[in-house]
Amino acid sequence: MSAPTVSVVLPTYNRADVVATTIERLLAQDYPHHLLEVLVADNSSDDTPARVRALAAAADLPVTLVSSQERLPAVKRNQALRAATGDLMIFMNDDVWVRPDFIREHVAAHARHAGPVAVVGLVEQSALMPSDPFIEWYQPFAYAQIADRAGREVTYRHHWSMNLSLPRRVMLERNLVFHEDWAEIGHEDVELGYRWSKAGYPIVYEPRAWGEHFHPHGLDSACRLQESIGRGLRDLEVLIPEPDLLARYGVPTRSAPPTTRVRTAARVALFNSVTVPVVQRRLAALDRRSRLAEWTYWKVLLHYTRRGYRSAPARTPTPTPTWSPAGEP
């Protein structure tokens, strides 16, 4: 069979220097360049458009700026999806820097399967980021949960769009696109993974499709991100009606198993609106790593997830329908 064409999509916003490096890494791929295109879905107000156009002018493969007025990455990804021409779509974050074999490994993972699959690649924190105790500890993506699943299927919970490939035809024919009605940024990849799995398609983990994540977060900015994730759960709990969904994010629910409720209650008693600001200030002032601090970081972050969820109003998004396969009712 001939090698597939590949469209790489990355949404971005006001990160000109970072996204320029991301594109440069894609232009250095060892996959045939006549089979590649890069689409940058952008609503920036900085010089990102100019940087993208300059890179496109010098590139030996199409680099297309998909300008948008939309804030949500989910919407921008769909806009680029509909403008793309590749057999395979690779969705990335704008701050994931890849090796030259990145696209080839995604393509090879798809070729090992007779039918349509989603392929999740590995993203690790970049060693190029500045170093402090929190950055050295912080792992925002839960790849450790699937470290033993290389080449095997994983659940919809690990369907992460910072490094993800899917067949374009299936996405469009069955409406397996990103859900667009979100109050907060985030969760759209997990929600799509839920519908992808429900449609009967596997999700496979391929760590050789590797990228490094360059986004230095301090404790305070990570807490703000975690609170936004918590607010976003108001949409996700409607779109993914699974009884253990909130518990997996550390949000206490009455439907959780008794042991989980007890453990959560103990955490909330220790880390609450009174204690967390004090603990957070002390953690932010640390100049060296310690086991106690690293145990405490995650408890503080979970406090903000819970606070975000509790502060957000209930939501009633309409689920995105999955269409039947062509020729079926």
Side-chain angles (χ1 to χ4, degrees):
M1 296 178 64
S2 60
T5 54
V6 179
S7 300
V8 184
V9 169
L10 49 134
T12 190
Y13 175 72
N14 283 0
R15 305 192 69 200
D17 291 339
V18 171
V19 78
T21 300
T22 305
I23 295 170
E24 288 165 358
R25 299 288 184 95
L26 292 169
L27 296 177
Q29 291 297 296
D30 61 15
Y31 196 72
H33 282 201
H34 70 283
L35 300 176
L36 291 180
E37 66 175 351
V38 176
L39 298 99
V40 182
D42 177 58
N43 64 321
S44 297
S45 58
D46 66 358
D47 65 344
T48 294
R51 295 289 294 275
V52 173
R53 292 188 181 101
L55 287 165
D60 63 348
L61 59 91
V63 177
T64 302
L65 183 70
V66 182
S67 298
S68 178
Q69 299 299 315
E70 297 290 342
R71 175 184 69 94
L72 293 172
V75 180
K76 293 191 288 184
R77 287 191 183 100
N78 283 345
Q79 290 172 337
L81 166 66
R82 294 185 175 102
T85 62
D87 300 311
L88 289 180
M89 301 296 306
I90 298 181
F91 296 97
M92 297 172 54
N93 282 8
D94 65 358
D95 51 13
V96 173
W97 297 345
V98 299
R99 295 187 294 222
D101 63 351
F102 171 74
I103 290 174
R104 179 162 47 84
E105 292 292 355
H106 267 286
V107 170
H110 283 272
R112 286 191 285 270
H113 296 269
V117 298
V119 174
V120 177
L122 173 62
V123 176
E124 296 182 301
Q125 292 292 83
S126 175
L128 300 175
M129 291 191 294
S131 180
D132 67 29
F134 180 76
I135 288 176
E136 292 171 16
W137 169 84
Y138 187 47
Q139 298 291 330
F141 312 127
Y143 285 97
Q145 295 177 357
I146 55 174
D148 62 344
R149 304 292 300 174
R152 299 159 66 189
E153 290 188 31
V154 295
T155 72
Y156 75 87
R157 298 192 300 273
H158 307 106
H159 187 267
W160 297 318
S161 59
M162 74 282 294
N163 183 350
L164 173 70
S165 59
L166 305 105
R168 182 173 64 93
R169 178 184 60 79
V170 177
M171 294 185 74
L172 294 175
E173 287 184 358
R174 301 210 58 190
N175 201 38
L176 288 167
V177 299
F178 292 93
H179 179 78
E180 296 187 356
D181 180 17
W182 298 94
E184 299 288 335
I185 291 173
H187 297 307
E188 67 270 11
D189 46 5
V190 172
E191 190 276 336
L192 174 55
Y194 178 77
R195 285 185 287 119
W196 181 266
S197 295
K198 288 291 186 183
Y201 300 122
I203 302 168
V204 177
Y205 177 45
E206 179 45 76
R208 287 177 292 190
W210 179 90
E212 60 181 315
H213 177 236
F214 186 88
H215 194 147
H217 267 295
L219 176 59
D220 291 347
S221 64
C223 289
R224 290 192 295 271
L225 175 62
Q226 207 67 28
E227 189 164 359
S228 174
I229 289 171
R231 292 193 298 268
L233 291 174
R234 289 294 187 177
D235 283 297
L236 198 64
E237 67 181 345
V238 177
L239 298 169
I240 300 182
E242 299 282 332
D244 63 341
L245 177 76
L246 294 179
R248 291 200 305 270
Y249 286 88
V251 175
T253 63
R254 293 179 180 177
S255 61
T259 54
T260 301
R261 294 202 304 270
V262 170
R263 188 167 58 249
T264 302
R267 189 185 73 241
V268 171
L270 289 171
F271 296 91
N272 51 59
S273 59
V274 175
T275 61
V276 163
V278 177
V279 172
Q280 188 173 339
R281 285 194 297 271
R282 292 181 178 178
L283 289 172
L286 294 177
D287 59 3
R288 66 183 65 184
R289 297 181 68 171
S290 74
R291 290 184 179 180
L292 177 60
E294 292 176 358
W295 177 84
T296 307
Y297 285 139
W298 187 237
K299 306 302 183 293
V300 170
L301 291 173
L302 287 176
H303 164 78
Y304 281 97
T305 306
R306 174 176 172 268
R307 189 171 88 168
Y309 176 79
R310 289 169 61 89
S311 68
R315 291 269 296 165
T316 56
T318 301
T320 298
T322 298
W323 298 336
S324 299
E328 294 186 14

